Amino acid sequence: MAAFTASEIFESIVSTVSALGGFGLGYLVDYIGAWAIEAYLLYELQAHARSLVHHLSDMASEEAASQVRRELEARGFRVVSVRVRTVVPGRYHGDAIVLPPCGMDPLAADMLADEAVYALRRMGVDLTVHVDLSGRLSRRE
């Protein structure tokens, strides 16, 4: 509603300047003003379309993905990939592929991954962590 009101204000300013410009320049002011109003309306339409796509899609915020990365990297993992989507606002679901530090026992790596999963679950992120012990999954980079 505010965007529509702003376009109406622009239109009234163009009409006022056109009236002040007089007969000789009125058509030119109307022409330039019409292009300015059209550009503003197209800009607002694009902004609202992006907002609508963001609200209708399940894209997670960059903050949620970086929170997952920080939690995994704090435990010594090298993060290969993170995919997180929004279930409802404030709740996220996804998966991650990580590489453990060199020489880490597979059982210890699995326990650290479970620890990260539980910590993230308390923050509203339901995550599945794939610990890539062979390095095969990391070749997808």
Side-chain angles (χ1 to χ4, degrees):
M1 187 60 127
F4 178 73
T5 303
S7 69
E8 290 295 318
I9 290 171
F10 286 151
E11 187 176 353
S12 65
I13 290 171
V14 168
S15 298
T16 303
V17 171
S18 177
L20 293 175
F23 178 74
L25 299 177
Y27 69 93
L28 186 59
V29 172
D30 277 342
Y31 183 73
I32 293 170
W35 276 106
I37 291 169
E38 190 70 28
Y40 174 75
L41 288 175
L42 288 175
Y43 169 78
E44 285 297 324
L45 180 65
Q46 179 186 15
H48 287 292
R50 280 188 186 155
S51 174
L52 184 63
V53 166
H54 181 72
H55 288 309
L56 292 178
S57 68
D58 60 355
M59 295 180 347
S61 66
E62 186 62 36
E63 180 182 327
S66 65
Q67 180 181 15
V68 169
R69 280 188 181 281
R70 279 193 309 268
E71 202 62 42
L72 292 168
E73 288 171 350
R75 285 164 176 75
F77 291 114
R78 186 171 77 88
V79 179
V80 175
S81 73
V82 173
R83 297 182 305 173
V84 182
R85 66 180 184 89
T86 303
V87 177
V88 294
R91 298 286 305 166
Y92 303 98
H93 177 77
D95 65 6
I97 299 174
V98 297
L99 293 173
C102 286
M104 179 178 273
D105 181 52
L107 185 59
D110 191 43
M111 289 173 58
L112 281 176
D114 287 344
E115 182 182 303
V117 166
Y118 293 129
L120 288 165
R121 191 168 290 149
R122 286 191 301 269
M123 295 180 218
V125 180
D126 183 25
L127 189 74
T128 301
V129 177
H130 305 282
V131 179
D132 184 11
L133 298 172
S134 65
R136 288 180 306 187
L137 295 176
S138 64
R139 290 189 191 118
R140 292 192 305 177
E141 289 183 326

